[in-house]
Amino acid sequence: MKIVTLCTGNKYPFTYVEKLYRGLQRNLTKPFEFQIITESKYPGWWGKIEIFNPAERIVFLDLDTVIVGNCDFLFEYQGPFAILRDFYRPNGYGSAVMSIEAGYGKHVVESFEANSKSIMEKFHGDQNWIEQQVSDAVLWQDIYPGKIKSFKADNLESGPKGASIVCFHGIPRPYDVAHLPWMIEHWR
């Protein structure tokens, strides 16, 4: 299985890539290939659009996710497309963790590329565009309840509370809370 992350621009230092990789090594029992996308035609999170229509199944993880427990479940899902339910908008998507089957999402890429400038002006981010293009995604929280949580929305300052993946979206970022005991243990 291939795990993909996006590290373009200067929002996050390369140490985030290294910490994500080491977290996966500690918490996966299945073999995996790790791919880092360092160049994109599109700025910031919009580069995620380029991962759709992959040659093989991929699992995508944002750099600001912290792996805190066994993540084998990421490889168990075999449907066409899984994505997070947005932590604050129950009908929205969060693109920090996705599983995309080989060949899935050609329409997402093609429709974006046909009008990328106006889409990036109109939509807040990639996940809002994905919502417009995919109405029937499987949501991680429905198939693996409690495995992926939000640092902010789930109030995880005291610890991951049984999660395997903790998502940081916005502020604080992982380095802002790197002093917390559970972060010292898992984000290294």
Side-chain angles (χ1 to χ4, degrees):
M1 180 72 71
K2 183 183 280 191
I3 296 178
V4 177
T5 195
L6 181 69
C7 184
T8 59
N10 58 8
K11 183 175 181 178
Y12 297 108
F14 197 77
T15 56
Y16 272 61
V17 173
E18 296 165 337
K19 290 173 189 265
L20 178 61
Y21 179 70
R22 288 192 296 265
L24 291 165
Q25 284 183 310
R26 289 190 301 271
N27 291 288
L28 280 170
T29 65
K30 301 173 187 291
F32 67 95
E33 177 186 343
F34 192 65
Q35 179 184 352
I36 308 152
I37 298 170
T38 57
E39 294 183 19
S40 173
K41 294 186 277 189
Y42 307 110
W45 52 59
W46 290 105
K48 292 182 202 177
I49 299 299
E50 293 180 295
I51 67 171
F52 282 87
N53 194 25
E56 61 185 297
R57 175 175 292 283
I58 63 166
V59 171
F60 176 86
L61 297 172
D62 268 351
L63 280 181
D64 57 354
T65 56
V66 177
I67 309 300
V68 296
N70 182 280
C71 290
D72 288 347
F73 70 93
L74 293 171
F75 295 169
E76 292 171 6
Y77 172 74
Q78 293 299 308
F81 181 59
I83 192 168
L84 288 171
R85 174 183 293 112
D86 187 282
F87 295 110
Y88 294 111
R89 299 177 306 116
N91 295 322
Y93 294 162
S95 62
V97 182
M98 298 184 282
S99 179
I100 308 170
E101 122 181 302
Y104 181 84
K106 184 176 180 181
H107 67 289
V108 175
V109 177
E110 288 179 348
S111 58
F112 180 81
E113 289 180 343
N115 250 333
S116 62
K117 188 173 189 281
S118 65
I119 290 167
M120 288 188 286
E121 289 171 359
K122 179 180 177 184
F123 291 88
H124 172 69
D126 64 287
Q127 58 200 24
N128 303 108
W129 174 246
I130 296 167
E131 288 170 23
Q132 295 294 314
Q133 299 298 303
V134 179
S135 61
D136 59 348
V138 171
L139 302 173
W140 287 114
Q141 293 97 321
D142 292 345
I143 56 175
Y144 298 105
K147 291 288 192 184
I148 305 172
K149 294 184 180 179
S150 159
F151 181 82
K152 286 190 296 190
D154 293 309
N155 192 23
L156 300 183
E157 191 159 325
S158 64
K161 299 179 183 173
S164 293
I165 298 173
V166 175
C167 296
F168 286 79
H169 39 96
I171 305 296
R173 293 193 168 106
Y175 62 78
D176 295 326
V177 296
H179 64 282
L180 297 174
W182 69 271
M183 284 290 287
I184 291 168
E185 177 184 353
H186 296 290
W187 198 58
R188 52 186 169 89

